[in-house]
Amino acid sequence: GAGVSQSPSNKVTEKGKDVELRCDPISGHTALYWYRQRLGQGLEFLIYFQGNSAPDKSGLPSDRFSAERTGESVSTLTIQRTQQEDSAVYLCASSRGIYNEQFFGPGTRLTVL
Amino acid sequence: KNEVEQSPQNLTAQEGEFITINCSYSVGISALHWLQQHPGGGIVSLFMLSSGKKKHGRLIATINIQEKHSSLHITASHPRDSAVYICAVLTSGTYKYIFGTGTRLKVLA
């Protein structure tokens, strides 16, 4: 079966524009995670969704960031009024549950000019 | 001080050597992950554990909850093991992930 997919794979945008990143998890995976990795730095946890429960948004870096997930399917991460500091690879992962192995997508490389 | 510390930060080994990477944490956890990030950026989950020991092929992961410490061992290392190894803890109660800074491993042929 297909793994976790993310789109676009690369996104170049101008400062101040909004961007939307998409994640398609593995079918049947109830848990979905968003992470960020700035160039040369470690992974940062942004948010996770578990089933239909409301996500804890406190890990999002600022109120310009928002994430949604419809049921147990696709998730979108939206960054409004992008800043140069938002440039990073945004990774999505999914798992059967929070105590199960995570499968990572290939990431979206975001460059804000 | 970071809540999740890994050591060493960098490690160079000769093919065939036994390798140990350490992870210490200072928060309460529900589980701990070991991840492998390949030079191209792709990330693979190696282990998730909350107690004891797990083994998969040449990889072994252990965790000591009382000491708040985990180790990842690689037996008979090979150049294809060259990657960044990342420890991540799932905090108890809040269910957030905190990552270590990673250990960059290079195995020479």
Side-chain angles (χ1 to χ4, degrees), chain A residues 7-111:
Chain A
S7 61
S9 55
N10 281 285
K11 176 73 177 177
V12 180
T13 190
E14 293 179 347
K15 179 180 170 181
K17 301 278 190 183
D18 297 351
V19 296
E20 187 174 277
L21 312 180
R22 176 186 169 111
C23 173
D24 282 88
I26 293 172
S27 177
H29 281 192
T30 62
L32 185 148
Y33 314 80
W34 283 100
Y35 303 102
R36 178 171 75 175
Q37 188 170 34
R38 289 183 166 130
L39 184 64
Q41 300 196 14
L43 286 159
E44 294 176 71
F45 170 73
L46 298 180
I47 192 169
Y48 103 97
F49 296 88
Q50 173 62 55
N52 293 316
S53 301
D56 178 353
K57 300 181 181 181
S58 61
L60 295 174
S62 77
D63 58 8
R64 297 185 295 104
F65 287 70
S66 61
E68 291 186 355
R69 187 183 188 195
T70 306
E72 295 182 357
S73 61
V74 170
S75 176
T76 55
L77 177 69
T78 302
I79 309 172
Q80 295 179 309
R81 305 181 302 281
T82 51
Q83 304 293 312
Q84 288 182 331
E85 71 220 34
D86 300 332
S87 295
V89 175
Y90 290 83
L91 290 150
C92 173
S94 72
S95 66
R96 291 192 183 279
I98 195 161
Y99 293 110
N100 296 98
E101 177 187 10
Q102 291 185 31
F103 293 83
F104 283 78
T108 293
R109 183 176 298 276
L110 174 66
T111 303

